[in-house]
Amino acid sequence: MRKTTIFRSRGAIAAVAALLVTAAAVRAQDNPSVQTGTQLPEVHVVQTGETLWALSERYLGDPFLWPEIYRINTDVVEDPHWIFPGEELRLLAARPAAVVDSVAVVGEEPIEEPIEVEELVPPPVAPAPPPTETTPTVFQETGPSVRTVDLNAPLFRYRPVRRGQFYSAGFLTEGDRLPWARVLGAVGTPTLRNLGSSSMATVFGEVEMRAPQSATYQIGDSLLVARVARDVRGWGSVVSPTGIVRVTGPAGSLVHAEVIVQFHRISDGQFALPLEPFHNPGDVLPVPIENGATGEIIAVRDVHSVRQQQDIVFINLGRSDGVSLGDVFEVFPAQEDDQLLGGDEPIGLLHIVHVRNRSASGFVVNLMDLGVDKGAPVRLIRKMPG
């Protein structure tokens, strides 16, 4: 236990924080193994036996900074425990901050009589030894990889569409009358009296639904639960999935179902319809094409002020236009003079995760500008074989 002097001043706190940042940057620069400045490559292609730990030590000078590399490469690395040969990792955004020479402190003057408090100092913890190719580690690959290195490929390593992406993406109804069941609420009595009349169900809980007329459900049937949100003129309603349920007890028009997958809040007032079959594309990946089909973004699934990666947007191309699950589209800035695509650089990438007859749902996998929104032109750049 030791005594520490504390000043009640924002300026002093800012100065201490700046000194800590400076010390960290100087420590990284003092390490001869770290590659900084012009020596730091923009992209590193993973080789056999490499780990995030080793790459962090090599490029950032500190193996414990590996989360910084993972943070900016979540579109490539699904699980930081596993990186595979051929994956391309961005590095520039993870570079340690430059040394701060000085800092201007603006704020209150410190009080004349500093306060001394006792600070608990935890015992030092010895850092774990860096792994090698022969040392077991959770960050190391344990099996051979079948990936091939394509130096001309974009940074995003495209993967087949997953079942969860397909069912959680949502879609436009395109004006179709779908066989919606009505979710009446969660089965069971609330444990608190002040919860009100609404109810919510979570995984392994049960909901009660009213089946549509002439519909018959059997035990074991799976249904997609969703919010039917706003209407898009000419395209029907926006369907935003909240989960998947499995019928446990049909009884006439009332049906009980267990929640087996949850995407968002499942509550009374939502709707359900039979689960659409998912045709797994396997390990097939989209291949580059030239002069692909062009269209535009007609709506976004979730309305918020700032567009983000992993958002879902809807485009005006679908099965009738040859669009398939797994296709990739570039997004371009919206044109005021109707010159589609023009000579502008792309501002985003969409991975198609759900397709209907006239429209498709795109998962934003790369976002370079906030203009990935309604009205932005799109162009097919990678097509699923077959």
Side-chain angles (χ1 to χ4, degrees):
M1 185 177 297
R2 65 186 179 190
K3 291 186 177 181
T4 302
T5 301
I6 296 180
F7 295 94
R8 293 177 181 170
S9 168
R10 296 194 191 117
I13 294 174
V16 172
L19 289 175
L20 292 176
V21 173
T22 303
V26 171
R27 185 171 62 251
Q29 291 186 351
D30 289 341
N31 190 329
S33 64
V34 64
Q35 299 185 19
T36 58
T38 57
Q39 295 180 352
L40 184 65
E42 181 177 354
V43 177
H44 175 84
V45 180
V46 177
Q47 305 298 319
T48 302
E50 289 184 330
T51 65
L52 290 181
W53 174 287
L55 294 179
S56 177
E57 182 175 26
R58 174 180 175 183
Y59 291 116
L60 305 183
D62 187 345
F64 290 99
L65 293 179
W66 66 262
E68 290 302 309
I69 299 179
Y70 170 64
R71 177 180 59 83
I72 62 172
N73 289 283
T74 54
D75 55 347
V76 179
V77 181
E78 286 187 88
D79 187 337
H81 297 76
W82 308 98
I83 60 175
F84 300 93
E87 290 183 328
E88 298 171 355
L89 305 182
R90 285 166 285 186
L91 297 173
L92 288 182
R95 182 169 51 190
V99 176
V100 180
D101 294 329
S102 61
V103 59
V105 178
V106 180
E108 305 172 355
E109 292 296 328
I111 61 177
E112 296 181 359
E113 297 181 0
I115 302 173
E116 290 189 350
V117 298
E118 292 184 342
E119 178 183 1
L120 295 178
V121 181
V125 178
T132 64
E133 292 189 13
T134 58
T135 303
T137 170
V138 294
F139 298 105
Q140 205 161 3
E141 182 187 0
T142 58
S145 173
V146 295
R147 294 179 183 268
T148 58
V149 178
D150 181 5
L151 298 179
N152 296 319
L155 295 181
F156 177 73
R157 304 295 296 183
Y158 301 100
R159 294 183 173 90
V161 176
R162 300 177 179 84
R163 184 182 302 271
Q165 288 179 311
F166 174 78
Y167 287 124
S168 65
F171 53 88
L172 296 171
T173 61
E174 298 183 356
D176 295 339
R177 294 175 62 98
L178 301 177
W180 293 114
R182 182 86 177 188
V183 177
L184 302 179
V187 176
T189 304
T191 56
L192 299 177
R193 295 182 179 180
N194 62 351
L195 288 180
S197 58
S198 63
S199 62
M200 180 180 67
T202 57
V203 176
F204 305 127
E206 283 197 341
V207 295
E208 186 176 64
M209 300 179 296
R210 185 181 299 279
Q213 292 183 354
S214 72
T216 302
Y217 298 147
Q218 303 296 326
I219 294 178
D221 288 350
S222 296
L223 296 98
L224 181 73
V225 181
R227 297 189 305 267
V228 180
R230 68 194 188 281
D231 289 335
V232 178
R233 186 175 180 179
W235 295 94
S237 301
V238 174
V239 176
S240 183
T242 57
I244 298 174
V245 299
R246 181 171 296 151
V247 175
T248 57
S253 62
L254 296 182
V255 178
H256 284 192
E258 180 186 17
V259 178
I260 58 176
V261 177
Q262 185 173 11
F263 305 129
H264 298 285
R265 183 176 183 266
I266 299 176
S267 62
D268 51 301
Q270 296 180 1
F271 298 88
L273 77 164
L275 202 64
E276 181 182 353
F278 170 67
H279 302 290
N280 193 334
D283 295 329
V284 178
L285 299 179
V287 296
I289 64 170
E290 295 183 358
N291 302 319
T294 59
E296 67 177 25
I297 296 175
I298 52 178
V300 297
R301 189 191 69 182
D302 303 312
V303 179
H304 43 241
S305 57
V306 178
R307 194 61 44 224
Q308 306 169 15
Q309 286 191 173
Q310 303 184 11
D311 277 352
I312 297 292
V313 300
F314 306 121
I315 65 173
N316 62 345
L317 300 171
R319 281 191 297 264
S320 60
D321 305 290
V323 177
S324 306
L325 281 182
D327 288 353
V328 179
F329 283 80
E330 282 181 329
V331 186
F332 292 83
Q335 304 293 323
E336 296 181 358
D337 55 0
D338 295 330
Q339 295 295 320
L340 184 63
L341 306 184
D344 293 312
E345 292 294 323
I347 59 175
L349 289 176
L350 304 179
H351 195 197
I352 300 302
V353 291
H354 197 284
V355 181
R356 289 182 63 78
N357 186 45
R358 296 188 295 124
S359 61
S361 307
F363 182 82
V364 180
V365 296
N366 207 345
L367 184 66
M368 290 82 81
D369 189 275
L370 299 181
V372 178
D373 214 327
K374 179 180 177 181
V378 299
R379 180 175 63 196
L380 179 65
I381 61 167
R382 286 177 173 259
K383 189 80 183 71
M384 290 290 283

